[in-house]
Amino acid sequence: MSELEPKRAIDDAAQESVNIPIEGPAPFLRQLKGFWVTFAAQFKKVTTVQYPEVKEPVAPRFHGRHQLNRHPDGLEKCIGCELCAWACPADAIYVEGADNSDEQRYSPGERYGKVYQINYLRCIFCGLCIEACPTRALTMTNEYELADDSRKKLIFEKEDLLAPLRSGMLQPPHPYYPGTDDQDYYHGRVTESHPSQEQK
Ligand code: SF4
Ligand code: SF4
């Protein structure tokens, strides 16, 4: 047997596979069928959306930009525990906690998040951070428009992430609602701010 023989056997096998008879309609009919698919597609409902003028609603549980939530009187829910940062597989969160005091209170309890950053150049929107948060301070919104023209702008600071002050909320720092403690906040017994909480 010559050295070339095995190669010839492969070539023969390839030739045989090329010559396998194709069953079904004649080639012209098959082409016609293919063109019909293209033609019929012109009359189907168009699913293209003229973004950004038109924005389709996303799924209710879509993972978009994060939000740092507040209690109903405006105090921050974040206690600076860093669990979100430890849970993040992309190392996208940086937290520095600090102590609350009676004069400078930002959140119920001992600590608050003094520095809070999320690097959206790293974030993969997996949601592990919001699962790790013990106070539901961190959640994700449906906002997905996060493109920008500089890398620096995609590192969001605490001010960028904090939920806006809604009606009945006061900008921290401010004291507890009169007659309450941190447990009342965690159990949802504070439902709005009190005039005495306003900082003079
Ligand atoms: S969504 Fe995932 S990647 Fe993004 S900050 Fe949270 S844990 Fe990190
Ligand atoms: S967002 Fe939640 S997990 Fe992260 S530091 Fe604040 S309280 Fe802790």
Side-chain angles (χ1 to χ4, degrees):
M1 186 186 287
S2 81
E3 283 183 8
L4 291 176
E5 212 158 52
K7 181 174 184 313
R8 204 180 301 131
I10 293 169
D11 288 347
D12 290 348
Q15 191 62 34
E16 275 173 26
S17 68
V18 168
N19 292 333
I20 292 170
I22 301 169
E23 292 175 8
F28 175 70
L29 284 180
R30 284 204 303 278
Q31 284 188 17
L32 209 58
K33 201 174 162 192
F35 287 133
W36 173 252
V37 172
T38 309
F39 181 76
Q42 298 178 75
F43 304 102
K44 286 190 176 160
K45 185 171 172 283
V46 177
T47 51
T48 309
V49 173
Q50 298 303 317
Y51 179 84
E53 287 80 17
V54 179
K55 290 173 191 161
E56 286 282 295
V58 294
R61 298 184 67 183
F62 174 83
H63 282 182
R65 184 181 70 78
H66 298 74
Q67 178 170 280
L68 283 172
N69 299 306
R70 298 174 184 274
H71 288 284
D73 68 346
L75 283 182
E76 296 162 11
K77 287 190 173 180
C78 178
I79 54 171
C81 66
E82 301 182 29
L83 282 177
C84 51
W86 283 98
C88 177
D91 201 13
I93 302 183
Y94 176 74
V95 184
E96 262 182 38
D99 289 340
N100 283 309
S101 65
D102 289 337
E103 299 76 38
Q104 291 279 304
R105 173 163 299 287
Y106 290 88
S107 68
E110 290 176 22
R111 309 264 290 166
Y112 72 100
K114 186 177 180 190
V115 178
Y116 197 101
Q117 295 176 337
I118 296 186
N119 185 342
Y120 282 107
L121 297 163
R122 285 173 169 249
C123 177
I124 53 172
F125 298 90
C126 63
L128 289 178
C129 50
I130 63 172
E131 298 298 332
C133 181
T135 60
R136 295 294 288 160
L138 190 64
T139 52
M140 292 172 102
T141 66
N142 287 351
E143 191 183 329
Y144 54 84
E145 293 182 309
L146 290 165
D148 221 317
D149 57 4
S150 91
R151 296 173 69 82
K152 196 176 169 192
K153 289 182 193 165
L154 288 168
I155 299 175
F156 280 43
E157 301 286 343
K158 181 177 167 183
E159 299 70 41
D160 306 318
L161 298 164
L162 265 175
L165 288 170
R166 292 201 311 271
S167 145
M169 292 181 171
L170 292 171
Q171 179 69 43
H174 61 71
Y176 284 134
Y177 190 93
T180 64
D181 60 14
D182 51 339
Q183 294 301 317
D184 293 308
Y185 279 83
Y186 298 143
H187 287 105
R189 291 194 276 267
V190 176
T191 55
E192 60 182 351
S193 63
H194 188 273
S196 67
Q197 288 178 280
E198 275 190 65
Q199 294 283 73
K200 303 286 182 289

